[in-house]
Amino acid sequence: MERLVTSERIGSTAILTIMNPPVNALSRETAAALHLAWQQADEDDAVTRIVITGSGKMFVAGADLREIERITQHEIPPDLSYLNQLLNAIERGHTLVVMAMNGGALGIGLELAMAGHYRVLRAGSQVGLPEVNLGLIPGAGGTQRLPRLAGVGPALRMCLTGKSISAEEALELGIVDRVVEEDVVAAALEVTQGRRTDQLPCQGNLRVVEAILAAVRAGTFEAGLAEEARLFREALVDQEAKEKVAAFFASRKK
């Protein structure tokens, strides 16, 4: 089996590349490989910066929908806590993490990017949280980190409509810090400092919609993450998600 995440060193920078073609879906195995690679780099005193990027034309297109389907079919428990464990560890680690977003970042892909301390996005790419289209809510910090970066209004629009936005709009809203035409990794190597979304104040003051609003309103970052996780688990086993996930896979077979 090929490695799902590769690691290389350029000076004091560790570059971690997600390699789960065709769209780098963050499956349980891929998330575990990324967590291990990040942890090894974070514990290395010689590493002063970690760059996370993707192979191919996508950064991360989302979670493993086959796993989501198994949950909606009640084949496995509705527990995707490993995603939050990974993202929280990255955000709170000792080492600056720069997300070199080589392509689109959707769902958990955008949530992963927002857990980093600085984000470089390739021009022409899109970012979004499309979970509502599957009868779900963002389940790995999306309802907490996005309002802290973009403000409550834009965050709610993205969560409630499921529509993606362009790289230019993501930059304007503060979701990413820089947009570049070519080599995102080269741009990431120039970054020397970043920020943590759990320390940023929010800018500005059907059932899935209510769940998203409840998660955003939860208050503090820690309380919000806990409420989001609870509501996400509920959505995973709801009939609406089961039907929409099944419809998604049925449409791909046509």
Side-chain angles (χ1 to χ4, degrees):
M1 180 178 177
E2 296 185 3
R3 296 180 64 183
L4 293 170
V5 175
T6 63
S7 178
E8 64 175 311
R9 286 278 294 275
I10 296 180
S12 61
T13 298
I15 301 176
L16 312 182
T17 304
I18 301 169
M19 304 185 69
N20 186 19
V23 295
N24 294 328
L26 205 63
S27 65
R28 186 178 295 268
E29 293 79 12
T30 306
L34 179 58
H35 201 151
L36 177 61
W38 166 82
Q39 186 175 39
Q40 290 173 339
D42 188 56
E43 293 175 350
D44 188 338
D45 292 336
V47 173
T48 61
R49 173 178 43 204
I50 299 170
V51 173
I52 298 179
T53 191
S55 60
K57 297 181 179 180
M58 291 291 295
F59 176 61
V60 172
D64 183 351
L65 286 181
R66 290 296 179 187
E67 182 174 355
I68 299 295
E69 182 184 37
R70 292 185 66 198
I71 292 174
T72 62
Q73 297 293 331
H74 305 287
E75 296 177 7
I76 58 176
D79 182 14
L80 297 178
S81 58
Y82 65 89
L83 293 174
N84 261 321
Q85 291 168 7
L86 167 63
L87 272 56
N88 291 343
I90 287 173
E91 184 167 63
R92 299 166 189 175
H94 303 295
T95 312
L96 170 70
V97 177
V98 184
M99 297 294 177
M101 303 160 70
N102 56 298
L106 304 176
I108 183 60
L110 179 55
E111 291 177 304
L112 169 64
M114 292 191 294
H117 308 120
Y118 195 96
R119 285 158 289 282
V120 179
L121 178 61
R122 186 166 186 173
S125 304
Q126 293 191 326
V127 303
L129 295 174
E131 287 86 350
V132 69
N133 297 320
L134 294 176
L136 300 172
I137 73 170
T143 67
Q144 303 307 303
R145 292 187 175 95
L146 187 56
R148 286 166 170 78
L149 289 173
V152 173
L156 284 176
R157 284 196 297 274
M158 290 179 65
C159 289
L160 296 176
T161 66
K163 293 181 179 179
S164 299
I165 63 173
S166 67
E168 292 71 25
E169 187 173 357
L171 178 63
E172 182 179 346
L173 290 173
I175 298 172
V176 299
D177 300 285
R178 185 178 174 188
V179 173
V180 298
E181 293 289 342
E182 297 297 334
D183 193 339
V184 290
V185 173
L189 292 175
E190 300 172 1
V191 178
T192 58
Q193 60 183 356
R195 52 186 175 157
R196 285 176 50 171
T197 56
D198 65 339
Q199 296 176 343
L200 292 174
C202 288
Q203 302 172 24
N205 282 321
L206 121 345
R207 198 186 55 78
V208 173
V209 170
E210 293 174 350
I212 291 173
L213 291 172
V216 172
R217 286 196 302 258
T220 66
F221 187 74
E222 295 297 338
L225 286 178
E227 182 68 357
E228 178 195 76
R230 183 187 71 80
L231 294 166
F232 180 62
R233 288 193 299 271
E234 287 184 359
L236 276 171
V237 296
D238 187 77
Q239 184 66 24
E240 180 184 3
K242 180 178 180 179
E243 292 173 355
K244 288 189 174 182
V245 171
F248 171 81
F249 283 109
S251 67
R252 295 182 64 185
K253 294 178 181 177
K254 294 180 180 179

